């Protein structure tokens, strides 16, 4: 696909902001080019606008060259940039499977970009056909989330590939929960499809939601466009250093993931013993979507006990459903105890 054909004309023409650090090349001893305060306190200098060191480490971890990597202020920044690069406000649209992560829709609405929602099946499975049929010649970007939020399941990889191959636009596969899944990432498909964007994040398995660091993996053409449109210093120094530290200890994260998966099994087991629990949807993530009689009253009861889950009863196919994040062993026990009290 010729990616540049899909880009908004004003973005193609855009002369990006050139920062002091962009314009300097070579070995410097004295920086008098960016109007910074010269007294060293660890933060007086602007951060690396392209996060080279961080991308080097992520590159090793993911087996993807740095020119295929974009880092954003959360995945949310990447979502917004993709919409702004490819969709002309008031004219183009995005296609999203429904129910899914709420930010695709909000970002599109902020940018005055229309949304075509295509429902998943009642079991939250995905078929490319429905999405392809919903596309018109103003559909620029399709968002697919796998494993899907709020249902928790990984989508059929064959259907996702069909979508990437047949959709005449950009396909974003949001893999925020991939580290909890037994299905492989689509990252190994990047070489084949230059219209594919994969989103991952440090907010879930990596335990760094407060840092705000999201990753996008894509073709160099798309990564270059994202770099051109992003605010120059979008990842601050603290985030870059803390993420580098975390990347030196992948074993710690791997252990936490194993623990969370064990706890997920424990929760499934406990929840299945309640007759009021009508369905626990299969999960490839760190949360469970649970259909339960009187979900709304249970939600209110839990809230009164100081236990906050997410009421998903209003989303498509989600009636009487609560979404519960897997917590620590102790937190999960307290959740189950509270549900028992409510049902008693
Ligand atoms: C939590 C989540 C994200 C994470 O967004 P960040 O901005 O990186 O914190 C992205 N996509 C989905 C589907 C999520 O559930």
């Amino acid at each position: 696909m010729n990616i540049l054909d899909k880009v908004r004309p004003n973005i193609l023409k855009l002369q990006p902001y050139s920062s002091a650090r962009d314009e300097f090349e070579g070995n410097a001893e004295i920086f008098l080019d960016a109007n910074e305060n010269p007294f060293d306190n660890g933060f007086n200098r602007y951060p690396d606008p392209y996060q080279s060191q961080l991308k080097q480490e992520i590159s090793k971890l993911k087996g993807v060259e740095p020119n295929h990597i974009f880092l954003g202020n959360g995945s949310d920044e990447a979502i917004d940039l993709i919409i702004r690069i490819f969709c002309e406000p008031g004219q183009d649209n995005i296609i999203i499977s429904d129910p899914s992560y709420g930010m695709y829709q909000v970002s599109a609405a902020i940018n005055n970009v229309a949304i075509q929602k295509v429902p998943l099946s009642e079991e939250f499975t995905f078929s490319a056909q429905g999405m392809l049929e919903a596309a018109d010649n103003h559909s620029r970007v399709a968002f697919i989330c796998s494993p899907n939020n709020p249902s928790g399941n990984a989508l059929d990889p064959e259907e996702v590939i069909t979508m990437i191959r047949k959709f005449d636009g950009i396909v974003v596969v949001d893999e925020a929960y991939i580290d909890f899944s037994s299905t492989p990432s689509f990252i190994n498909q990047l070489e084949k499809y230059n219209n594919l964007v994969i989103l991952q994040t440090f907010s879930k398995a990596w335990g760094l939601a407060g840092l705000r660091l999201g990753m996008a993996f894509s073709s160099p053409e798309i990564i270059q466009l994202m770099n051109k449109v992003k605010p120059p210093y979008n990842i601050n120094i603290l985030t870059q250093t803390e993420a580098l530290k975390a990347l030196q200890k992948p074993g710690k994260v791997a252990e936490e993931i194993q623990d969370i998966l064990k706890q997920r099994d424990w929760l499934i087991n406990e929840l299945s013993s309640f007759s009021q629990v009508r369905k626990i949807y299969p999960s490839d993530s760190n949360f469970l979507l649970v259909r339960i009689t009187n979900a709304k009253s249970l939600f209110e009861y839990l809230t009164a006990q100081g236990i906050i889950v997410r009421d998903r009863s209003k989303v498509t196919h989600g009636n009487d459903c609560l979404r519960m994040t897997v917590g620590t062993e102790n937190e999960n026990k307290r959740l189950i105890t509270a549900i028992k009290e409510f049902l008693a």
Side-chain angles (χ1 to χ4, degrees), residues 169-185:
I170 310 305
V171 176
V172 178
V173 180
D174 188 341
E175 296 188 334
Y177 299 98
I178 194 69
D179 300 309
F180 302 105
S181 177
S182 47
T183 61
S185 165

Side-chain angles (χ1 to χ4, degrees), residues 74-76 101 104 145 149 174 176-177 201 203-204 212-214:
S75 327
D76 293 347
Y101 184 49
Y104 317 137
C145 185
N149 182 2
D174 188 341
Y177 299 98
T201 180
S203 296
K204 305 287 156 59
R212 309 308 301 129
L213 186 61

Side-chain angles (χ1 to χ4, degrees), residues 47 54 60-61 98 183 294:
L54 196 46
K60 285 188 229 157
L61 181 75
D98 179 45
T183 61
N294 289 331

Side-chain angles (χ1 to χ4, degrees), residues 61-80:
L61 181 75
K62 304 284 178 183
V64 172
E65 289 299 309
N67 65 340
H68 291 266
I69 306 174
F70 169 85
L71 298 177
N73 184 359
S75 327
D76 293 347
E77 182 177 26
I79 294 167
D80 180 67

Side-chain angles (χ1 to χ4, degrees), residues 5-189:
D5 283 352
K6 310 290 174 195
V7 178
R8 288 168 65 197
N10 65 311
I11 301 292
L12 265 188
K13 279 199 308 237
L14 177 72
Q15 191 64 47
Y17 176 75
S18 181
S19 71
R21 293 297 125 83
D22 279 333
E23 291 182 5
F24 145 77
E25 269 179 69
N27 276 328
E29 281 177 33
I30 303 179
F31 283 106
L32 302 175
D33 59 346
N35 300 346
E36 296 148 329
N37 180 322
F39 299 105
D40 184 7
N41 60 10
F43 303 108
N44 59 314
R45 298 296 173 189
Y46 279 103
D48 172 4
Y50 300 109
Q51 311 95 24
S52 317
Q53 231 190 322
L54 196 46
K55 283 182 188 167
Q56 207 63 49
E57 293 308 310
I58 294 171
S59 163
K60 285 188 229 157
L61 181 75
K62 304 284 178 183
V64 172
E65 289 299 309
N67 65 340
H68 291 266
I69 306 174
F70 169 85
L71 298 177
N73 184 359
S75 327
D76 293 347
E77 182 177 26
I79 294 167
D80 180 67
L81 285 174
I82 290 161
I83 293 174
R84 282 195 286 152
I85 290 166
F86 294 103
C87 302
E88 196 61 44
Q91 179 180 313
D92 293 330
N93 64 69
I94 63 165
I95 314 181
I96 58 184
S97 57
D98 179 45
S100 196
Y101 184 49
M103 273 312 287
Y104 317 137
Q105 176 168 357
V106 172
S107 255
I110 291 169
N111 289 297
N112 192 24
V113 164
I115 301 143
Q116 313 257 27
K117 282 191 188 180
V118 182
L120 294 170
S121 77
E122 283 194 26
E123 298 292 315
F124 302 109
T125 59
F126 169 75
S127 92
Q129 195 191 346
M131 249 195 176
L132 290 166
E133 280 169 7
D136 60 33
N137 53 15
H138 284 296
S139 303
R140 292 286 179 268
V141 186
F143 283 91
I144 302 169
C145 185
S146 181
N148 188 47
N149 182 2
S151 52
N153 57 312
L155 306 186
D156 181 348
E158 303 262 323
E159 292 292 325
V160 176
I161 293 290
T162 305
M163 189 64 203
I164 300 167
R165 284 181 42 229
K166 296 200 173 159
F167 180 61
D168 186 26
I170 310 305
V171 176
V172 178
V173 180
D174 188 341
E175 296 188 334
Y177 299 98
I178 194 69
D179 300 309
F180 302 105
S181 177
S182 47
T183 61
S185 165
F186 283 94
I187 232 170
N188 53 14
Q189 302 290 322

